[in-house]
Amino acid sequence: MDGMPITGTQAVAIGSDVYWIGAFDPSLRSFDLILKTANGTSYNSYLVRGADGVCIVDTVKKEFQDIFFKRLESICAYDEIKYIVLNHMEPDHTGALPELLKRAPNAKVYLSFQAQGMLKGLLKEGAENLDVTAVTTGDSIDLGNRKVSFINTPFLHWPDTQCTWLEDCGMLLSGDLFGCHFCDERLFNDLVGDFRFSFEYYYAHIMRPFKHHVLQALDLIEPLDIKLIAPAHGPILREHPREYVRHYHSMSVPHLRREGEITEKTLLIFYMSAYGSTGDMAKEVLKGAEQVSGVRISLYDLEGGEMPPFVDLIEEADGLVFGSPTINGDAVKPVWDLLSSLCSIHTQGKLGAAFGSYGWTGEAVAMIEDRLRGLKFKVPVPGVKVKLIPTNEELEECRAFGRLIAENLTGTNAPRVIDFSDLL
Amino acid sequence: MAKATVKFSDIDLSVVVPVGTRIIEVSEKVGSGIVYGCRECDCGTCIMMVEEGMENLSTPSMLEDQVLRDNMAGKEFRLACQAQVLGDVTISPV
């Protein structure tokens, strides 16, 4: 059996009284509209048997529920199921839940606090009479001879996500964490094909926007004596599981140490300029920001760069300023290309601002500010617009704008009081 | 019209507003770091910390209480999309 592809409808033992009862989806070529899946994917579900009953951890996508139930029935009667644990509420893991609840009506559902509202959204009126318990780190279920414990790991990659931990056998049932879209019926990481690119690709698209949550989760996971990681997608990591934990850590921290003092704030100024006016404004914004100590400032002409390295820079920056001319009532495309590339990184709480020269109407600055707010930037400094060629007074305004941004970054800006009517 | 002052401590800005104004009506306009998702008391994205003046905000509805509990928010937190200003408050993003 070991090393052979799984072709039947049997559950697969992955440890002492722990079984994989998931499904393979080899023909899938795109996941959640944003991920390419050259090898398809798998929906991993697990069954944990204890002296006092059976616990199911996650289910599968609805279209694959028949094989899920066949695998489950190969080792368990429905009246043995005492608990259903939901590590993540996304439909690829909860698709078979409504039918499972019909077949095991006495099972108690365990999920995170943040998952409760999502369960109602999934089951609608079917959620009303369920026995649901919200759990967090430190809570556990007693299966008689073993404990099923919970680790709250929110935002990996939804607010509801958690991990389940079987201390007696060192198994971490990790949900989407440590997963990847790589369908291989040989199931275990020491038997499947080379899936390293899928592991990193999955991290880059699913986990990267939540790096600081990854690090918080790793604080809880790294001390565990892990023998096996059983994620909700992709190979089960039974060989060198800690290497995958270490790799997650390395992907979540900067690769090259930033120069300068650790307390220094970083401000990046990106601009595009057709006739030099927005470029001139950018240089003055930089000069103004330089008047404030404790800020490391960089200036980039978007015309001369590719987007991915800029996204990497932005990920670590504290403040971003975007300069764009207005052409045909809009900011220019490279600016939008960059701004639309930022959903793969964490931008909440960064400081943002915009400026630019225009000929007729000057919509670009306000449009960029709106996009920055949409990305959950703070935008406390109103943008600067200049009609065509900036005058000396307008260049001074740019310097004041840069200085104010830098002061806001360092917390040295003077307190202000305004009236609500000023905002209307 | 009665007025009250909302201080956004993350940007060191105070705004004098008419009593009854919701935080959501002000915070984005001034560029505070309080962020929003659904804007209708469901997702919990706009949880904010009330540093001072909790008693000067409108009483949370049962629904807001539920969202705060689901997100394990302590007693110093409110939803910015729901809280109305009744007196002086100091708030910040979480």
Side-chain angles (χ1 to χ4, degrees):
Chain A
M1 172 74 204
D2 211 23
M4 298 294 289
I6 294 155
T7 53
T9 59
Q10 296 292 304
V12 179
I14 65 169
S16 176
D17 276 335
V18 185
Y19 299 86
W20 176 84
I21 54 170
F24 297 115
D25 185 0
S27 58
L28 189 79
R29 289 293 172 269
S30 129
F31 189 90
D32 272 1
L33 308 176
I34 57 168
L35 286 166
K36 295 294 180 188
T37 50
N39 302 73
T41 192
S42 56
Y43 312 107
N44 296 335
S45 170
Y46 301 97
L47 185 151
V48 183
R49 181 179 287 282
D52 291 347
V54 164
C55 172
I56 305 295
V57 180
D58 293 327
T59 74
V60 299
K61 196 174 179 179
K62 187 176 180 185
E63 291 86 336
F64 295 84
Q65 67 178 15
D66 288 350
I67 186 71
F68 164 76
F69 286 119
K70 282 178 182 163
R71 290 196 208 284
L72 189 155
E73 289 164 8
S74 72
I75 44 163
C76 162
Y78 288 109
D79 61 5
E80 291 184 281
I81 300 172
K82 299 287 192 298
Y83 307 104
I84 298 169
V85 170
L86 303 172
N87 280 340
H88 180 25
M89 301 304 293
E90 207 169 359
D92 53 328
H93 307 297
T94 53
L97 179 64
E99 181 60 26
L100 178 60
L101 289 168
K102 283 182 196 164
R103 298 187 187 197
N106 296 320
K108 298 176 178 178
V109 175
Y110 282 70
L111 37 59
S112 72
F113 281 84
Q114 296 91 330
Q116 295 174 100
M118 295 174 186
L119 184 69
K120 290 172 190 163
L122 278 171
L123 300 178
K124 306 301 181 192
E125 66 275 8
E128 285 170 11
N129 297 317
L130 284 182
D131 187 337
V132 177
T133 302
V135 291
T136 188
T137 304
D139 292 334
S140 62
I141 297 168
D142 187 356
L143 285 182
N145 58 335
R146 72 193 322 168
K147 271 201 321 184
V148 176
S149 305
F150 303 103
I151 304 170
N152 189 237
T153 54
F155 293 100
L156 302 178
H157 58 120
W158 277 18
D160 62 300
T161 46
Q162 64 173 12
C163 294
T164 299
W165 169 239
L166 305 177
E167 186 174 11
D168 64 290
C169 56
M171 284 193 190
L172 183 71
L173 312 183
S174 59
D176 279 347
L177 197 66
F178 306 117
C180 65
H181 292 307
F182 188 87
C183 180
D184 191 317
E185 287 85 351
R186 291 166 292 188
L187 195 59
F188 296 98
N189 65 325
D190 52 311
L191 303 176
V192 300
D194 193 336
F195 67 101
R196 287 175 294 178
F197 79 98
S198 295
F199 189 81
E200 294 186 346
Y201 178 77
Y202 187 91
Y203 177 93
H205 288 79
I206 300 289
M207 299 297 169
R208 185 179 177 184
F210 306 102
K211 279 184 176 180
H212 62 296
H213 291 290
V214 172
L215 291 171
Q216 287 171 350
L218 293 181
D219 283 343
L220 299 172
I221 289 168
E222 285 170 340
L224 303 175
D225 185 15
I226 294 173
K227 306 284 198 308
L228 178 148
I229 297 174
H233 294 291
I236 292 171
L237 310 171
R238 67 179 180 184
E239 284 290 315
H240 314 297
R242 296 201 70 84
E243 283 190 12
Y244 296 90
V245 177
R246 278 194 288 274
H247 196 40
Y248 251 57
H249 196 117
S250 71
M251 290 190 289
S252 303
V253 296
H255 292 181
L256 186 62
R257 191 180 64 82
R258 199 171 78 188
E259 298 295 344
E261 296 295 323
I262 196 74
T263 55
E264 202 171 47
K265 299 291 183 184
T266 52
L267 177 65
L268 312 184
I269 303 168
F270 294 96
Y271 72 95
M272 291 282 288
S273 193
Y275 292 97
S277 293
T278 302
D280 289 343
M281 294 174 74
K283 290 170 193 138
E284 300 307 312
V285 173
L286 182 144
K287 284 180 190 169
E290 280 182 333
Q291 294 170 12
V292 179
S293 60
V295 185
R296 187 181 182 88
I297 308 149
S298 310
L299 184 68
Y300 303 98
D301 184 347
L302 276 175
E303 198 175 355
E306 299 286 337
M307 295 304 151
F310 288 149
V311 173
D312 291 345
L313 287 171
I314 290 171
E315 186 171 31
E316 289 185 41
D318 301 301
L320 288 308
V321 188
F322 296 88
S324 173
T326 298
I327 297 181
N328 291 336
D330 203 350
V332 293
K333 186 170 180 297
V335 172
W336 288 128
D337 287 344
L338 183 56
L339 289 172
S340 67
S341 303
L342 302 185
C343 60
S344 64
I345 61 170
H346 181 71
T347 52
Q348 182 175 334
K350 292 182 189 294
L351 191 144
F355 64 93
S357 164
Y358 66 98
W360 309 340
T361 48
E363 291 94 334
V365 170
M367 294 169 96
I368 294 169
E369 289 176 332
D370 281 344
R371 173 62 179 159
L372 293 174
R373 290 187 193 98
L375 288 165
K376 305 190 190 320
F377 279 68
K378 291 191 288 185
V379 190
V381 182
V384 176
K385 295 194 302 184
V386 167
K387 191 171 178 73
L388 294 169
I389 312 295
T391 63
N392 286 336
E393 290 73 22
E394 287 166 332
L395 291 175
E396 173 52 36
E397 191 183 346
C398 292
R399 288 192 289 276
F401 170 72
R403 189 167 56 247
L404 196 51
I405 291 165
E407 287 173 350
N408 270 269
L409 264 185
T410 54
T412 54
N413 53 308
R416 287 185 298 148
V417 179
I418 62 172
D419 193 83
F420 187 58
S421 59
D422 297 335
L423 302 170
L424 302 176
Chain B
M1 183 184 294
K3 297 284 184 92
T5 300
V6 184
K7 181 176 180 185
F8 296 90
S9 62
D10 65 322
I11 54 174
D12 222 344
L13 176 70
S14 300
V15 187
V16 180
V17 302
V19 163
T21 303
R22 287 181 195 272
I23 299 296
I24 190 175
E25 297 175 64
V26 191
S27 72
E28 286 182 304
K29 288 179 177 155
V30 299
S32 164
I34 297 169
V35 295
Y36 297 89
C38 69
R39 298 165 188 265
E40 53 186 23
C41 198
D42 183 35
C43 71
T45 303
C46 66
I47 289 175
M48 62 176 181
M49 176 177 278
V50 182
E51 296 176 6
E52 290 177 22
M54 179 63 91
E55 68 282 7
N56 292 332
L57 292 174
S58 57
T59 306
S61 65
M62 286 175 63
L63 182 58
E64 184 185 348
D65 266 338
Q66 182 64 52
V67 173
L68 291 166
R69 276 201 302 276
D70 287 354
N71 285 278
M72 295 183 286
K75 60 183 181 349
E76 66 273 39
F77 298 96
R78 288 290 306 271
L79 297 185
C81 73
Q82 297 298 304
Q84 288 176 282
V85 179
L86 305 178
D88 294 351
V89 291
T90 301
I91 57 178
S92 60
V94 293

